Amino acid sequence: MKSTNLFWLHIRKSAGMTTRSLLEPYYVEVANRVNKPKSFVQATPREYNDILNNYRVVLGEYQFKRCLFAKKYLYPENWDNMFSFAFSREPIDRCISMFFYLFRTGHGLSEVMASVPKKCIAQRLRLRYCLTYAFDVFLDSIHEALLSQSIFCPFGLHFTTHIAPMWSDITDLEGVVLLKQVYRLENLVEGINHAFEQCGIAKRFDANCIQLNRNYNRKEYIPTKIQKRKIEQIYNKDFEVYESAWR
């Protein structure tokens, strides 16, 4: 049986802008997502998905349980008939992308470089050391955020929503995955086409004609073995999601 509507959960640093453009017009974007983000009570059901994907919209105790929030409050009667999906990025690659994005846009990590030994910066020596130091602090900050009772700790909502593990957002309180399908990010176009097929949408894309807006952070920084182990501990369930995702 074909699903009547699609639902896409945006996982941060997983080709969000590209996915939105490919899903048009079946995924409806809210006009102003930044300065005056629309709330659910102001919106039509067709806008709910985009509002839920806007990190600026606070969900209280469901802040990092967005699929459960959608099932319980947004689509209580239609959830089972919707084709719900998300894209999983390899967790280490995603973590590096988070780091460079948050670091370069100044969301909290300007404090990190301020704490790097001045001698190291002044002499422009050992850039690798500076990045390793900053990445260590970044991982410690993720750990602090995940343990905190505040969604604004340690560097605000932008930080905590972007480093949030995928696992908690796609599962219920018992750890059951609520999405119909999880695709690997490297299969983005194939995943979009499959989602369209499941919803009875005729539109298709040629994978060879779509260029992902990829960054090349792995060329800029490769985590140490200790850092990789930390990432594996922090995002252990996300590795399971990625390994079991549609290939």
Side-chain angles (χ1 to χ4, degrees), residues 17-67:
M17 292 180 65
T18 302
T19 305
R20 281 190 178 87
S21 66
L22 295 177
L23 291 176
E24 291 180 352
Y26 309 103
Y27 176 92
V28 177
E29 291 192 59
V30 177
N32 192 337
R33 304 178 75 254
V34 180
N35 297 321
K36 294 182 179 179
K38 186 180 287 189
S39 68
F40 295 110
V41 296
Q42 299 169 297
T44 64
R46 283 173 57 81
E47 297 173 304
Y48 286 172
N49 196 171
D50 195 46
I51 294 174
L52 186 69
N53 283 332
N54 189 350
Y55 77 88
R56 302 168 187 85
V57 178
V58 178
L59 302 176
E61 61 182 333
Y62 291 88
Q63 186 69 43
F64 306 112
K65 302 294 292 185
R66 288 181 293 156
C67 279

Side-chain angles (χ1 to χ4, degrees), residues 70-82:
K71 178 181 180 180
K72 188 172 182 178
Y73 294 111
L74 300 182
Y75 315 103
E77 297 178 358
N78 300 324
W79 179 257
D80 291 336
N81 294 323
M82 302 178 76

Side-chain angles (χ1 to χ4, degrees), residues 125-218:
L125 296 176
R126 304 188 184 279
L127 178 60
R128 169 74 188 187
Y129 168 80
C130 292
L131 285 175
T132 301
Y133 178 88
F135 198 75
D136 276 334
V137 177
F138 175 63
L139 294 178
D140 289 343
S141 299
I142 292 177
H143 184 68
E144 181 182 351
L146 296 178
L147 291 178
S148 176
Q149 296 300 308
S150 171
I151 61 175
F152 301 100
C153 178
F155 297 129
L157 191 62
H158 192 116
F159 182 87
T160 55
T161 52
H162 279 71
I163 58 87
M166 180 178 184
W167 174 258
S168 58
D169 258 342
I170 68 173
T171 56
D172 63 14
L173 298 178
E174 283 72 46
V176 176
V177 176
L178 297 175
L179 296 173
K180 289 281 201 317
Q181 191 70 63
V182 176
Y183 305 100
R184 288 191 176 187
L185 184 61
E186 54 263 37
N187 298 323
L188 177 67
V189 176
E190 294 88 343
I192 295 289
N193 288 338
H194 182 258
F196 282 164
E197 179 185 354
Q198 295 303 304
C199 293
I201 298 171
K203 186 175 183 179
R204 296 291 186 274
F205 294 101
D206 182 350
N208 295 322
C209 297
I210 304 297
Q211 294 293 325
L212 279 179
N213 183 23
R214 294 185 181 275
N215 52 47
Y216 296 92
N217 293 330
R218 280 197 176 280

